[in-house]
Each structure stands twice: as C-alpha cells, then as structure tokens.
C-alpha cells in the first residue's frame, strides 16, 4: 500500500484506460444506490471485451454492457430490472446467445455478499447458512461444504471473490481517494477491499478536511484507491442519496427498449456512443435530471472533540 | 381490529390479497419486506393493527417508514427517517442468519404443493425456456425467517405439480423435511392467492398446502382449475373476510394512490 | 425479536437485577472508548458471583470485578492497564488465587473479534489467519484448524462467542434502545448481536427522531435491546468522544491502588460499595469530572433528502 | 534527510531508539502503531521525511493525526481529524489480514535470537512466575505486517537464549521457517535496542538477529553482557547515526514535552 500526496484525480476515460483491461474481472457495485452508470458507459465506449462482470444485481448497467458485447461471463445473484420487470437483453444472451453466449455463475445475495467479504479478508472462503435444500449448489459447483471443527455439522461455503478492479460511486471524495457514503451501503466496502484496484467515482470532490471532520462516515481510505473521477450525476438513472432521486421512468422505459435488440442498439448509439463523456450525457438529459434533484433533509452534527 | 369494521362493497383481488397478508402480521414483529404487494401489506398493517411493525429491506434499511410507495427495494424513501442503515453483510449475517427476522415475504414464478419456490428458470437450467431473475435474498429468507408468507396470483402455470427448479426451499418433500435440514425458520405458513388462502396442514399432512379459506366469490371449482394438483382441504373451510372500507381507503388514497400495484 | 412501543428505560440497579444473574457469561465491551464502569460497579454492589467475563482488554473495570470476587473465568486477549502498566489484582488472582483462582481462556485481539463476529452471525466458528507459529493454540484447545474446501490449505478457527448479556455504553439512545455511537467502534456491534440480551447504557436519552435523522450512525436497532439505562459520565475513567476525555490520572493512580489488595479494597469501599449508584459517584467526583468535559468540534451535516 | 543534519550533543538512549526507528519508515507507508516509543517514532517521521505516513491504531483509527501524545492505543486524540474509523473486525480482517499494512511495531518482555516475542507469561503458563498482558494484536501483526520493527531496551533478561512462551512468531527457528508457515509478512527486519541496531542477516544465517550497528558510546562487550547468546556480527559493523538537533527539538518540545516516554 502507498499513500502518496500526489492527486489521483483523472477523467473517467483515463481511469478506464488505465485500470480496466480486456478479459478483466470487474465489479461495479451499489445496491440500487450509487451505481456508476458513467463507468459502465465509458467501458462500452472503449469497447472492452471478454469481461467477467460481478455484481449482486446486474441491473440496467450490466445489461447495457452485455448488449454492447463487453461481457464473457456474469457472476450475480439477481438479474432483473428492479421494480420494472425482466432484463430482456440479458435473457437474449442467455437464452439465444445474442450478441454472443454469456456464461453465468449464480449465487444468492447472501452468497455474493459473503464472497466479497471473504475476498476483502483475503480468506479463500467463508461459511454461511443458505443453499441447503435449494437446487443452486447442483448448478454451481463453487458452492461447497465443510464440517465444523466444533459441532461437526456440515456448513455451506462460498469461495472468495477478488476482482481485478472495483468501480464505486460515492457522494464525496478528496483527490487522494478518501471517500464517504451515506444512505444504503450495500457491499461496496467489501468489494473495494477485495479488489486489486479501486476506482472511486464521486459526485463531489471535497477538501481532505471535509473527510477528516467526520471520520465515521468514511467508506475507504485513499491508500487503497487507484483513481478518483469527478462525475456529477454519474449514477443516473440510479440515485445518490442527498443529491438526486432514482429516475424510475427511465427504468420503466428501459423495459420496452431492451425487449427489442434494434431499439437497444439505437439507444446505445444515442446515449453511449453518441456522447463523448458523462458531461455530454448530462447536458443532453437537461431538465430531465434537474427535476430529480434531492430536497434538503440535513442530519444533525455530532461532537468529535475531547 | 380491522376485521371488526364494516366490509366494503367492491374491491379487486389484489386489494384482498394485500389485506389478507396484512392481517397475518402482528404488532412489534420484524418483517423482511419485498417490493409490490408485500410492501403494501406491511405498510397497511403498520397504519392499522401493527403500528410498531419493523420493516427491514434487504438493501439495508431497518425500521423504514417510506413516505411514498417504494418503486425499488432500495428506494431512497426507505432510508430517510429509518432507524438504521445496515451493510448487506450485517443484514444477511447478523439480522437474517442471526435469527432477528420474524416474517419474510416471498413470491415465485412457480410454487409447488410444499411451498418450494422457483424464481430461477423455466425449463432446463442450461437451456432455459425462460431465464428468471434468480434468488436474490429469497433462498436465505426461506431458510431463516421464523415464518414465511407467500403471495401469488393463482394459475396452473404458477402452481404446477412439479416446479422446474427449487430456488428457495419451502417444506421440500413435506413432513419434517425442514427439521432434517436444520432450518432455523418454520418455512411457509400461508400462501395467499387471488382465489384463496392456504396453510400448511398439521400432523401427517404437515408441510403441504391446505386450502383454509376461500375468498368471497371464489369457488372450489375455480381453485381446482387453477392448481396443478388436487388440493387438500381443511376440515372447516372458511370464507376470507373481505377488506374493510378503512383498509381500502388507506390502500387507494394513501399507500398506492397511483395504482402502481393495485 | 419484538419491538414494543413501551419504554425500556430503567435504573442500572434494575437492569443488572433483571439481566445479569450469578454464573452468567457477561461482556462489557468498548475498546478504551465507552467502557461501562457504571455497570461493572453495580454488578459488584449486587455481589454477582461466578461470572464468566469476556472482553478483549479486561482493563480496570474487570480487574475491579475480579478483585471484588465476581468472576470465575476470564475470556480475553490483552490484560493490562492501558498505557499505565500491569493489572496487579488480576495477577494476584492468576498467580496466587487471591481472592480466589481465576480461570483464563486466552486469544489474540483478532481471535476475540472473530469469536464475537461468528457469534453475531450464529455461525459455530469462523476461520482467520493468526496463531500459526504461536504457543497460544498449545494452551487453548478451542483454537482449532480446518481444511479449505477450495485450496486445501489448513486455516486456524475460533469458536463463536455468545454471551448471556452484553452491556454497552453509547453516546445517545432513545427509550426503545435504538442507539448511536461515533468515534472508536471496537467490537460493540458484534458483541451485541452475539448476546442473548443487550443492556444499552447511554450518556444521553434522545427522542427517536434524533436517531432517525441520521440512520447511518445507528449502532443497534431497539428491537435487539433488552434494557436502556441513562447514565451520564457512566464511562469514567474511560471516555466518551464528544462528551468527556479519558481520565489518565485515574489509570496511572490505579497502578498503586491495585498493587496492594488492602488499598484496593479500601478503594472499592469508598467508590463502589460506598455509593448508592453512579449519580452519587459523579457527585462525589465533583470537579475532577468537569475538567474532563470535551471541547466542541462538530461534524458537518449530510443530506438524507431525495 | 534528517541524517544529513547536524548531530546533537547530549541525548538519552530512548531518544536515540526513537530516532533510529523513525528512520526505518518511508514516506507513504501504512504503519500499525503501538503506544510509547513506536508512536513517537511514527509521529517524528511524519514531521520529517515521511509526511504522508499513514498511522493506523488497532483501536480503529486510520490516518490518525494526534495533536497530543496518545496515552492509550484508543486515545480520543487519535479519532479527531483522522481519515477513517474502522471497526476492529475491519482492522484485523480487511486492513491487516487483507495485506494493507506495510510496517508493524512490536515490543516484548522476552525476545529470542530469531525475533520471536513473548508478551504472555514468565515461567510456566499454568503456574506463571509473572503473568504478562498477552498478545493483544501482536500475534497477527507479526504474521501479516509486510515487515516488523522491534523496539526494546537490551538486557539479558529481555533477550534470553530461550523465551518461555512464543506469543508472536518472528522467524521461529530461523531460515525459511516463515515461508513454511505461509506467513504473508516478512517478519522482524530490525531490532532496535538502547545499545545497538540488529538486522536479520541473509543467506544461511537469514532469520537470526545480526548486530548491524553499534550506538554511539556502546561497545561490543556491553552488547555481549546484555544478550543471552553470542551475537552474530555483520561483516561491516556500522555506528548508528546520532539524533540531529531537529529530531531532538521535535521530540522534546512538541512530541513528548512532558517526558512521558523519554
């Protein structure tokens, strides 16, 4: 580990070029909250191929990457359009191999969470109580069992997941990668510690003093972060608590887009290939975003003095 | 109690399902909530007989008090003014596996007579006819929640004689199967469809869906037409109490005014 | 679990009478921060016996309970007077059986942390990478090994620790037991979830709305809490970030007191048996406490709106 | 570099030990800090050649910038203005076992020639002559930190031929013992006493304390008198660079003005 005083700030295009290579195992986490669509779109623009995409809920961001041909394999626990139906393009890949076949490695949420936790702790595995009685172990040989050295009972296990790179959106970060998140925490901390490299994407770049004024809110210390990208509205259509709401209309509209491969490609042409970067996407979205801006409900301060 | 109030004139099957589910919840219980009808049922119960119901969402919101109907399991409205935000590791390891969850709601694309649920695949796993979303948290909820409530509209397709894949174990092959698997939770206790309410029997038929109550207007024939097997029927078959006008008012005016789910 | 709207507020004497019985396994956690001396002293006053005391750092609070004859066994990882030398009374118990023999079950900090974590998750054990090459496993048969079902390597394990009752001091709680902590977090959350009962001791009792205004700060939800005790200055001589500083003079002075059993008993007579409750202890301490009061250094608010 | 500056006139052995330890730390490294001399060494390095040194304390303070000398490993001054507070589970599982710690400081009541440390017991474990505090986090720091620095005043009692208990493994019986145990960290690299500085050799003597540098005023005889075995001596024995006046000024005026540890 090394924490140099030099800034890690760079553009998303630079961060993806430096840290996301063809064939890499990539995790873009965020459970409905703080999903870096900005990173997913840049990976599509840079035409990364043969990626192993890991994430509890593949969601629209992975469906778009799969439809664009970036993915070879998907490691997941729930693949749907949250609250708005199936992911049709993902189903086309799995059911018909369009645009090409997609290998699946499937767990439950608990299983995926524990895989990241084992990865973060550099343990080869961890035990957990699920899967028993389910057909999941039958179709996933990575789900195994051990005997407890104390009680003798058999316990299911999952192997550690250690991606090459984790991409995490946060509400605020300083230029060294020290970053803070509030609201839903998902499995971001575990995914970051489990990964060889971490790209932090932030709504706001703040002074280090802002982070140090409330250390209990810190998600990651900068010394485990490889790159910091400033990307306001970088989660749209997902949300960032305190910044903007979930764009539910976009999730609902996606249903129709993803049903038709041609429609989906037109969408990619317009909203991904057709824009240079997230800033242009944001300008193009215009008022649609501004009406999602969060109302203010501030927390009370606490005293860190002694 | 809501059931003592005046029954309402017209209501939809979905409204009845939500009301029937809400009545299964006791004040002070800790409920692992899903989106859609379960979410409506929990928030309805909270407004009526269970003001201290604790709503937990797998996204990490504990003691949520959503001011609007959540459109996703991770809606920001679940965070604002909640009691606690837990990481998903805490949710699954400490809350669910830790035995702190009283009730879990589950749904299924396929449900068999033992309450086993399939949300993974229709057809063969490797050559699927329809690829479904998968487990999410369902498999562990089915194992750990002290009791499970299943909500699903009733069709032969949804309730086949045999399901293609067991994503979340109910009573497996019935009887004391759950005991043999050392499952901490009691598994499915009720199945609520748009036609009827089922429990899971007792004695030698324990663990098998048993018709306990017909919804107003539903008939045994319609139940049979929409079930993949010949149903067991309780000794004393009840008629489900219809929604009260207060339950319907809350659902229509406050909980789902836009009719997203009803 | 049950979360009744009825208040769980009670006096420390009532909480100890209801939830700490002779022979119980008790954990009073807090790593240098938020140690409930108030609870320890009340347990001494109520003459509990044969307790199994669990805690990473026994510290003064457990030494006082051991010297008073409350403890049969100590489960720990570091037994010293932090920054001020040995715990002489604990040594008398171990080396000479004074006031009576004390059984030891010893781990490292990592081992104790993982024991609480396994307990919280209701797992019988968890694996961890420590103890190898150390003599600790030789003197503690509860430290065992398993073979990884993926790599085949041998990994040390520790068994779950599930105390009968956890006693935790927090900066603020509402009357239902929903509580919040900032500054050092230690292993309190894991200890609480691992225990059958939880007594929350709070510097401040606040309205539920204060907790709900910042849910990311919450340590425990009320529905896992059995009792709530309002005990200002309840951690002295340890500290509560934002409320009062550590009374280092007291730790240094303890060195001389604990060296002499007679002196220690006089101290217990004056400061534990000689006071009815914490409130009287606080009055008796007088100015000594007020000069420890924390200066103000407030965190900035964050926006929970959407 | 500090070492290029003017050497100071008078200084205590403790001051020299702290300065020698500080010089072992590189800018940007992540250090697992202990109380006392290690804490002074880290904060001294941070004021001089290693401004970006990241101080982590097992209590959970990450990137601490203590404004006063911490009197305990969990001093509130370690929290205020730190970069992050981690639970102890995160500290041990994710930071230490996760391989994020470059340097760990350890001390010992007994230290053998292979850098194995005893902080548990003098005499028999079950019938101790002196019961010591125990491991704390030392055992796992010894295994996981990329390298370990040991600080201890040198006496025959502290450096016996054989220690009564191995709390924290150093190089065990020497050679490639750590490799055979699959220890992620390299183990003790330096031992800093009040008389001399030792490294752990190379080649066939690797893993055994080797006298690398004598402190100003110390002699080989005094080193031998205060060591429980005949020490290996480096081919080219150095003399330790004395503290500079700037190092001493920082220690005496800013870091430990009350002389708590010096």
């Amino acid at each position: 580990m090394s924490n140099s005083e030099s800034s890690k700030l760079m553009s998303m295009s630079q961060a993806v070029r430096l840290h996301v290579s063809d064939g890499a195992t990539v995790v873009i986490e965020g459970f409905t909250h703080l999903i870096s669509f900005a990173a997913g779109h840049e990976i599509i623009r840079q035409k990364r191929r043969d990626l192993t995409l890991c994430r509890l809920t593949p969601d629209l961001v992975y469906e778009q990457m799969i439809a664009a041909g970036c993915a070879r394999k998907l490691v997941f626990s729930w693949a749907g359009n949250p609250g708005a139906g199936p992911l049709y393009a993902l189903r086309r890949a799995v059911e018909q191999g369009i645009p090409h076949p997609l290998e699946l490695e499937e767990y439950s949420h608990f299983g995926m969470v524990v895989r990241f936790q084992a990865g973060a702790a550099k343990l080869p595995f961890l035990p957990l109580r699920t899967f028993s009685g389910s057909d999941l172990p039958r179709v996933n040989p990575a789900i195994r069992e051990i005997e407890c050295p104390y009680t003798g009972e058999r316990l299911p296990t999952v192997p550690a997941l250690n991606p090459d790179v984790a991409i995490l959106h946060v509400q605020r970060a300083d230029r060294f990668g020290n970053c803070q998140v509030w609201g839903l925490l998902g499995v971001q901390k575990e995914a970051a510690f489990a990964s060889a490299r971490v790209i932090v994407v932030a709504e706001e770049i703040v002074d280090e003093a802002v982070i140090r004024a409330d250390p209990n809110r810190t998600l990651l210390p900068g010394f485990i972060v490889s790159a910091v990208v400033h990307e306001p509205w970088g989660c749209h259509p997902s949300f960032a608590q305190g910044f903007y709401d979930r764009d539910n209309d976009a999730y609902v509209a996606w249903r129709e887009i993803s049903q038709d491969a041609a429609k989906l490609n037109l969408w990619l042409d317009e909203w991904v290939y057709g824009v240079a970067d997230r800033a242009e996407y944001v300008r193009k979205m215009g008022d649609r975003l501004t009406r999602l801006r969060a109302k203010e409900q501030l927390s009370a301060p606490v005293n860190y003095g002694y | 109690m809501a059931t003592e109030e005046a029954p309402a004139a017209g209501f939809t099957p979905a409204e009845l399902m939500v009301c029937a589910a809400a009545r299964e919840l006791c004040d002070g219980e800790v409920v692992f909530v899903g989106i859609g009808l379960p979410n409506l049922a929990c928030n309805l119960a909270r407004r009526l007989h269970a003001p201290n119901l604790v709503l937990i969402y797998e996204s990490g919101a504990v003691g949520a008090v959503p001011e609007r109907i959540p459109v996703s399991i991770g809606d920001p409205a679940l965070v604002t003014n909640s009691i606690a935000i837990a990481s998903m590791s805490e949710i699954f390891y400490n809350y669910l596996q830790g035995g702190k969850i009283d009730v879990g709601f589950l749904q299924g694309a396929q449900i068999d007579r033992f309450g086993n649920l399939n949300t993974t695949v229709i057809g063969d796993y490797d050559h699927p006819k329809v690829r479904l979303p998968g487990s999410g948290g369902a498999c562990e909820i089915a194992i750990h929640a002290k009791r499970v409530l299943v909500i699903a509209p009733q069709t032969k397709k949804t309730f086949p004689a045999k399901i293609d894949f067991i994503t979340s174990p109910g009573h497996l092959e019935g009887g004391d199967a759950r005991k043999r698997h050392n499952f901490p939770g009691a598994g499915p206790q009720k199945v609520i469809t748009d036609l009827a309410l089922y429990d899971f029997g007792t004695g030698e038929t324990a663990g098998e869906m048993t018709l306990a109550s017909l919804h107003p207007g539903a008939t045994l024939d319609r139940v049979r037409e929409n079930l993949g097997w010949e149903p067991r029927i309780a000794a004393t078959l009840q008629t489900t109490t219809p929604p009260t006008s207060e339950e319907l008012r809350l659902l229509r005016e406050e909980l789902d005014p836009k009719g997203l789910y009803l």
Side-chain angles (χ1 to χ4, degrees), chain A, chain B:
Chain A
M1 302 297 96
S2 176
N3 179 51
S4 121
E5 192 58 35
S6 66
S7 168
K8 295 166 184 167
L9 261 177
M10 61 182 75
S11 69
M12 181 66 82
S13 128
Q14 200 178 352
V16 168
R17 202 170 307 108
L18 281 174
H19 300 295
V20 184
S21 49
D22 286 352
T25 298
V26 179
V27 52
I28 302 177
E29 256 309 330
F31 192 84
T32 76
H33 184 213
L34 300 173
I35 303 170
S36 183
F37 278 79
H41 289 180
E42 181 57 28
I43 288 169
I44 292 173
R45 272 190 294 268
Q46 292 193 25
K47 299 201 160 38
R48 286 292 173 283
R49 289 297 177 263
D50 300 319
L51 301 178
T52 294
L53 296 178
C54 309
R55 180 173 162 71
L56 273 67
T57 57
D59 198 286
L60 274 55
V61 63
Y62 276 13
E63 166 144 290
Q64 290 162 3
M65 294 167 77
I66 289 161
C70 303
R72 182 186 69 71
K73 182 177 178 181
L74 180 66
V75 182
F76 75 108
S77 45
W78 192 86
N81 179 347
L87 295 171
Y88 292 99
L90 191 149
R91 278 175 51 172
R92 276 194 297 278
V94 175
E95 297 165 13
Q96 306 159 49
I98 299 171
H100 49 63
L102 180 71
E103 185 185 342
L104 297 184
E105 185 178 336
E106 179 166 12
Y107 298 84
S108 66
H109 279 349
F110 193 9
M112 283 294 285
V113 166
V114 172
R115 290 199 67 195
F116 281 121
Q117 193 162 342
K122 299 287 184 287
L123 286 169
F125 79 98
L126 276 172
L128 71 170
R129 293 187 200 273
T130 189
F131 301 127
S132 175
S134 165
D135 284 332
L136 280 165
R138 186 170 57 71
V139 299
N140 183 350
I143 298 169
R144 298 184 185 168
E145 273 195 346
I146 44 158
E147 184 178 295
C148 171
Y150 301 92
T151 63
E153 72 188 297
R154 311 282 306 171
L155 285 164
T157 62
V158 290
L161 182 52
N162 291 105
D164 297 310
V165 58
I167 306 177
L168 303 173
H169 193 100
V170 301
Q171 280 120 325
R172 62 188 179 200
D174 67 23
R175 63 193 202 284
F176 312 117
N178 303 304
C179 57
Q180 301 188 324
V181 159
W182 56 97
L184 300 175
L185 303 173
V187 70
Q188 279 98 310
K189 189 180 282 183
E190 293 83 356
F193 275 91
S195 299
R197 300 173 180 201
V198 179
I199 300 174
V200 164
V201 187
E203 275 304 311
E204 258 182 3
I205 300 298
V206 298
D207 189 274
E208 186 177 344
V210 174
I211 303 292
R212 290 187 180 273
D214 198 350
N216 282 98
R217 290 224 196 267
T218 300
L219 182 76
L220 308 173
F223 63 81
I224 75 162
V225 173
S226 308
V228 180
V229 177
H230 184 209
E231 208 72 279
W233 299 98
C235 304
H236 178 269
S238 81
F239 69 101
Q241 195 89 32
F243 287 83
Y244 45 90
D245 197 356
R246 184 170 186 266
D247 187 348
N248 195 55
D249 298 348
Y251 280 86
V252 172
W254 183 255
R255 192 193 170 101
E256 201 196 322
I257 296 165
S258 68
Q259 268 173 319
D260 176 340
K263 272 210 187 112
L264 195 157
N265 289 331
L266 286 174
W267 188 93
L268 290 176
D269 287 339
E270 178 174 7
W271 292 102
V272 180
Y273 298 115
V275 296
D277 52 22
R278 192 64 172 186
E280 189 177 343
Y281 172 99
V282 170
R283 280 195 303 277
K284 196 169 149 74
M285 279 282 167
D287 299 346
R288 167 160 197 156
L289 296 189
T290 45
R291 64 174 170 70
L292 294 169
R293 186 163 277 128
K295 294 166 227 60
E296 186 166 275
Q297 174 160 341
L298 297 181
S299 65
V302 298
N303 185 8
Y304 277 99
Y306 57 88
Chain B
M1 289 296 301
T3 48
E4 290 154 10
E5 290 165 24
F11 52 84
T12 68
E15 286 170 336
L16 178 60
M17 290 164 79
V18 168
C19 294
R23 295 167 188 170
E24 295 291 330
L25 303 170
C26 308
D27 196 23
E29 286 190 311
V30 180
V31 186
F32 215 84
V33 190
I35 286 308
L37 301 190
N39 176 75
L40 286 171
C42 292
N43 282 288
L44 180 62
R46 208 160 53 80
R47 302 296 193 87
L48 294 169
H49 60 283
N52 307 311
L53 200 66
V54 180
L55 277 49
I56 296 189
Y57 294 78
E58 67 186 9
S59 55
V62 176
V65 287
E67 274 191 352
R68 71 178 182 198
I69 185 164
V71 289
S72 113
I73 197 121
D75 194 289
L78 300 174
V79 169
T80 314
N81 294 321
S82 64
I83 276 177
I85 300 302
S87 74
M88 290 185 80
S89 171
E90 291 165 20
I91 287 288
F92 286 108
Y93 259 143
N94 298 353
Y95 284 82
L96 185 56
Q97 185 173 288
K100 316 295 188 196
I101 306 297
D102 296 307
V103 185
F105 277 98
L106 292 176
Q107 296 169 294
Q110 287 184 330
I111 304 163
D112 71 16
R113 69 174 63 196
F114 301 113
N116 301 306
L117 302 165
N118 174 16
T119 54
T120 300
V121 66
I122 303 297
D124 174 58
Y125 185 83
D126 296 311
H127 310 86
K129 210 172 299 142
V130 182
R131 172 64 223 199
L132 303 166
S135 165
C139 181
E140 34 271 5
I141 292 168
I143 288 170
H144 289 283
K146 295 206 178 106
R147 66 182 198 276
V148 169
L149 302 176
V150 177
I151 300 185
Q154 189 176 327
T155 69
K156 260 198 161 62
K157 212 159 136 287
T158 311
F159 290 85
K162 190 178 182 323
I163 62 180
D164 297 349
F165 190 96
I166 298 181
T167 309
S168 309
H171 296 278
L172 297 165
E173 60 281 3
D176 64 349
R178 289 186 66 94
K179 276 203 189 59
R180 281 184 274 104
H181 280 262
N182 292 314
F183 288 156
Q189 298 303 294
K190 297 285 168 69
V191 174
I192 298 157
T193 77
D194 50 349
L195 297 177
L197 187 146
Y198 303 79
D199 61 28
F200 281 83
T202 53
E204 63 190 16
T205 72
E208 183 168 343
M209 265 174 73
T210 304
L211 183 62
S213 164
L214 277 175
H215 294 343
T219 64
L220 255 178
D221 288 349
R222 282 194 49 217
V223 164
R224 288 201 171 89
E225 287 159 18
N226 294 284
L227 203 61
W229 64 90
E230 177 57 28
R232 293 189 180 280
I233 300 174
T236 56
L237 183 58
Q238 313 280 333
T239 301
T240 312
T241 311
T244 66
S245 43
E246 175 58 5
E247 288 172 323
L248 291 176
R249 189 193 63 73
L250 283 168
L251 286 175
R252 294 168 182 176
E253 294 173 20
E254 297 186 23
L255 296 175
D256 189 13
K258 290 188 192 155
L260 282 176
Y261 300 101
L262 296 175

